[in-house]
Amino acid sequence: MSGLQRFERRLEEVISGAFARAFRSAVQPVEIAAALQRECDNNAQILSRQRRLVPNSFVVELAASDLERLAPYDSAMAEDLTQQVTEHAELNSYSFPGPVTIDFELAEDLTTGRFRVRSRAEAKVTSQATPTMVGRARALLEVNGTQHPLTTPGLVVGRGNEADVRINDPGVSRRHVEFRVEQGRAGLHIDVIDLGSTNGMTVNGQKMGRAVADDGTEVRVGSTTLRVRVVHEEDAGV
């Protein structure tokens, strides 16, 4: 029995055929599973002879009619699709940069029975920052849905354990960039400095070795975007 056949059987057991009736003549779960597998195959990046990096963040775009039919079962379906993609990755020696996520979204231009899959490699991000530290900060670094306080004297971003913010992105060096933060009379002053990384950095789309960062500045390292957000007094409720 193939992996896709096992996947279909698991779905039938979870939702007792109701899903199959609802989706008759519409998008079939096995079609989505196959598309997710192709998305991995088509976007695999060779890291070494035995390791290939594949996307781990997927969005399935559906027509309104299909999305409505899916709504009662989206959690069970996402769970089984995640398992299916994980098994496919294990069989092909693929590596994910972070946890696998699968979301469903409305696409106004699609008709019943049609769907699209978007994917990207979203690196896992970790740091020692606590929610209290984040809440008190007057500037933050936003990375893949996580927030990290930018306080004096600053922080180092990289892939290694010695970095303050660690990003599991193969294009990021162990110590890639440093955000230096100074408190002055005019407020916070933030510099971002490349630490001699292999792939360098871009700041708002321009490759450079050092730049001043303010609210909205985007720094690209490897395949990951770091966004600076300055918390103004009115936003902080002061």
Side-chain angles (χ1 to χ4, degrees):
M1 183 182 295
S2 70
L4 288 179
Q5 288 173 326
R6 290 197 303 273
F7 168 69
E8 285 187 297
R9 178 166 295 181
R10 284 198 303 270
L11 271 182
E12 291 174 359
E13 292 172 352
V14 170
I15 54 186
S16 304
F19 185 90
R21 289 194 299 274
F23 267 72
R24 190 170 296 145
S25 301
V27 170
Q28 301 300 317
V30 68
E31 295 175 331
I32 298 177
L36 294 174
Q37 291 184 3
R38 288 195 301 271
E39 199 71 15
C40 289
D41 297 338
N42 295 337
N43 292 281
Q45 302 177 41
I46 298 176
L47 301 180
S48 65
R49 291 182 61 184
Q50 297 181 333
R51 186 183 176 210
R52 287 180 288 177
L53 186 75
V54 294
N56 62 312
S57 177
F58 303 90
V59 175
V60 181
E61 297 181 348
L62 297 161
S65 55
D66 287 324
L67 192 63
E68 183 179 355
R69 291 185 182 97
L70 169 65
Y73 322 108
D74 57 356
S75 296
M77 186 173 175
E79 183 177 342
D80 275 346
L81 286 170
T82 298
Q83 184 175 342
Q84 178 68 21
V85 170
T86 302
E87 291 176 359
H88 182 69
E90 291 174 351
L91 288 173
N92 291 275
S93 299
Y94 293 155
S95 296
F96 297 115
V100 175
T101 61
I102 301 175
D103 296 304
F104 303 95
E105 290 185 0
L106 171 66
E108 300 285 358
D109 62 321
L110 294 179
T111 56
T112 300
R114 304 292 297 273
F115 69 94
R116 268 193 308 264
V117 175
R118 304 196 319 266
S119 69
R120 62 191 178 108
E122 187 172 275
K124 180 180 179 181
V125 183
T126 57
S127 77
Q128 298 298 318
T130 65
T132 299
M133 294 166 64
V134 171
R136 290 177 176 173
R138 288 295 170 261
L140 300 167
L141 190 64
E142 299 180 334
V143 193
N144 290 352
T146 65
Q147 293 184 324
H148 311 272
L150 283 171
T151 55
T152 56
L155 55 79
V156 171
V157 176
R159 187 165 44 85
N161 291 331
E162 64 271 31
D164 300 298
V165 176
R166 297 179 297 283
I167 303 176
N168 185 30
D169 181 336
V172 172
S173 297
R174 296 185 65 83
R175 287 171 52 87
H176 199 113
V177 295
E178 180 180 7
F179 287 83
R180 294 181 183 172
V181 182
E182 296 179 357
Q183 178 67 58
R185 292 183 178 179
L188 288 178
H189 178 84
I190 305 171
D191 287 313
V192 56
I193 303 161
D194 179 69
L195 298 177
S197 65
T198 301
N199 296 317
M201 70 173 183
T202 62
V203 180
N204 294 331
Q206 300 295 317
K207 191 160 188 176
M208 55 185 68
R210 181 173 184 143
V212 175
D214 52 23
D215 191 29
T217 294
E218 292 189 351
V219 180
R220 184 82 170 176
V221 294
S223 300
T224 303
T225 298
L226 321 172
R227 185 175 292 104
V228 175
R229 186 168 73 87
V230 176
V231 182
H232 300 289
E233 290 187 356
E234 56 271 23
D235 298 328
V238 177

